[in-house]
Amino acid sequence: MQLPEEFVSQTRRLMGEERFARYLAAFDEEPPVSIRLNPNSQLSALPEGALSSERTFN
């Protein structure tokens, strides 16, 4: 990912080198996914396969 140079220099200055390096590395990792069921939902049942261990969207 190409970030604007002004953003990079400002963020690096604010975070410091070590923290900024971890921040940049996070862009290359798969983001965590969490799903929260709403107990107040009007759905009586979820369709089979509604929850999956794999990400099916980008």
Side-chain angles (χ1 to χ4, degrees):
M1 171 184 285
Q2 184 66 29
L3 298 170
E5 187 55 42
E6 186 175 339
F7 173 81
V8 170
S9 61
Q10 273 190 303
T11 306
R12 178 180 277 130
R13 183 176 51 78
L14 291 170
M15 294 179 126
E17 284 299 324
E18 182 181 333
R19 198 165 164 211
F20 184 71
R22 290 193 318 254
Y23 172 74
L24 286 181
F27 285 106
D28 295 328
E29 297 175 5
E30 185 73 23
V33 176
S34 64
I35 298 173
R36 182 175 60 122
L37 299 178
N38 182 351
N40 299 319
S41 173
Q42 298 298 315
L43 297 175
S44 59
L46 291 173
E48 189 172 324
L51 300 179
S52 172
S53 62
E54 296 181 19
R55 290 182 69 147
T56 57
F57 55 90
N58 291 326

